[in-house]
Amino acid sequence: MLTRLSIRDIVLIDRLDIDFAAGLSVLTGETGAGKSILLDAFALALGARGDANLVRAGVEQGQVTAAFDVPADHPARALLAANELPAEDQLIMRRVQFADGRTRAFVNDQPVGVQVLRSLGGALVEIHGQHDERALVDAATHRDLLDAYGGLEGQAADVANLWRARRQTEAAVDEHRREVERAEREAEFLRHAVADLGKLTPEAGEETALAERRTVMMQGEKVAADLRDALDAVAGSASPIPALAAAVRRLERRQGQAPAFIAPAVKAFDVALAALDEARTDLERALAAADHDPAELERIEERLFALRAASIS
């Protein structure tokens, strides 16, 4: 499946392109000839951990490209689709290693994360070394190996589909159960709300009427306070009426001695005293109208707040 391996500026390699033909390919060489460098470069393209020491001395970056011919039903195709990568005739994996330790990964010229490169590399290539772990001893692969050996991939896929369907059904049942529980909680709440409304027995428009009555009564308190202040000024301890009345009486006693001077003043005082008395009467009448029972205001507020609380609930 590996058709081409291209290496640029990796360790001792300046430029190397290897094309692989069909069948078995073998690379041989003495110790130190560079076989391990080829494997390290290949592993870099497959998603292995990057290393700044892989970059050839004197250059800023190295690069490894591996090209594969992948059958249409190969698992790597599913990985490409899962990662929304273009599936072309060839699968080209490229890794750039920078001298500062950074790396960049590409699949079919699309930038990807190293984990995507590693997943594809695991599906395409298996590298064995004297002290490396073998996929054969990985318990996670045993079932797939047995299914493949027995030709049971189709049946295994059916079982997997049934298992997914079962999980989806269980999830749907759990969601339905949660919906039922929510409905039961809401029904219980509504029963309590209906019971509370039954105790309140609200009337149509009652909340609006109570709110208006409360506003009038609260404003009446402020008006009554001003009326009381005005009444105290007219008829209270600081009222000018007693002093004015005494002055009028004194003037009346002197009126016979100088009627031309005193009579107009006495007349004006009489008008003023009459106006003050009328104002006192009007203030007392207004106070009586504005006065209300504080207990009634409290009852109205309790009823109004209870109705509002029930409507919010």
Side-chain angles (χ1 to χ4, degrees):
M1 291 189 297
L2 178 64
T3 61
R4 185 180 180 84
L5 180 64
S6 297
I7 303 173
R8 301 288 185 272
D9 296 318
I10 295 295
V11 191
L12 301 175
I13 300 174
D14 177 13
R15 181 186 183 92
L16 176 65
D17 295 304
I18 304 175
D19 293 312
F20 295 92
L24 176 65
S25 297
V26 179
L27 298 176
T28 64
E30 298 178 356
T31 301
K35 300 186 300 296
S36 297
I37 296 176
L38 291 176
L39 283 176
D40 291 340
F42 188 33
L44 185 66
L46 298 174
R49 184 181 180 85
D51 189 343
N53 293 325
L54 291 174
V55 180
R56 189 167 64 88
V59 299
E60 296 181 356
Q61 68 180 47
Q63 177 176 285
V64 183
T65 304
F68 297 85
D69 278 338
V70 182
D73 59 349
H74 195 279
R77 295 283 184 181
L79 290 174
L80 291 174
N83 290 279
E84 299 181 352
L85 293 170
E88 302 175 356
D89 293 338
Q90 273 197 328
L91 172 56
I92 301 175
M93 301 168 64
R94 180 163 59 95
R95 186 83 172 276
V96 179
Q97 174 70 61
F98 295 95
D100 60 4
R102 295 179 298 115
T103 68
R104 295 190 65 187
F106 301 86
V107 173
N108 290 344
D109 287 329
Q110 297 295 317
V112 297
V114 176
Q115 185 58 45
V116 175
L117 208 66
R118 189 175 297 124
S119 298
L120 286 169
L124 291 166
V125 177
E126 194 173 311
I127 298 178
H128 295 281
Q130 183 177 357
H131 303 291
D132 294 332
E133 293 183 357
R134 271 52 168 200
L136 188 61
V137 299
D138 183 1
T141 66
H142 291 175
R143 185 164 53 197
D144 291 337
L145 291 173
L146 287 173
D147 290 339
Y149 181 77
L152 302 174
E153 291 95 336
Q155 293 91 324
D158 292 339
V159 172
N161 291 333
L162 289 172
W163 173 252
R164 283 192 292 270
R166 180 177 182 270
R167 294 295 298 274
Q168 291 172 357
T169 303
E170 287 178 344
V173 170
D174 291 339
E175 179 61 25
H176 180 68
R177 185 178 292 111
R178 287 191 290 270
E179 290 289 341
V180 171
E181 292 173 354
R182 283 194 290 268
E184 290 177 347
R185 289 194 297 270
E186 184 176 355
E188 184 66 19
F189 167 77
L190 291 174
R191 280 192 291 269
H192 285 295
V194 169
D196 291 340
L197 288 174
K199 294 177 183 177
L200 286 173
T201 60
E203 299 177 359
E206 182 181 5
E207 181 181 347
T208 302
L210 289 174
E212 293 175 352
R213 176 61 178 158
R214 175 174 176 265
T215 301
V216 170
M217 294 180 73
M218 292 180 68
Q219 292 176 349
E221 285 185 346
K222 299 176 182 177
V223 172
D226 292 337
L227 289 173
R228 279 191 290 270
D229 291 341
L231 181 60
D232 186 63
V234 172
S237 59
S239 172
I241 292 177
L244 291 174
V248 169
R249 286 193 298 271
R250 287 195 301 273
L251 289 173
E252 286 176 343
R253 286 195 298 269
R254 300 290 185 182
Q255 188 171 358
Q257 299 175 4
F261 297 108
I262 296 175
V266 170
K267 183 178 180 181
F269 273 122
D270 288 339
V271 172
L273 289 169
L276 288 171
D277 186 64
E278 184 179 356
R280 178 185 58 79
T281 302
D282 291 339
L283 288 169
E284 290 175 346
R285 188 181 301 112
L287 268 174
D291 194 20
H292 65 273
D293 183 6
E296 181 185 1
L297 177 59
E298 184 177 351
R299 288 193 297 272
I300 288 175
E301 287 184 337
E302 289 180 355
R303 176 71 175 174
L304 178 61
F305 296 155
L307 290 172
R308 287 178 175 174
S311 65
I312 292 174
S313 299

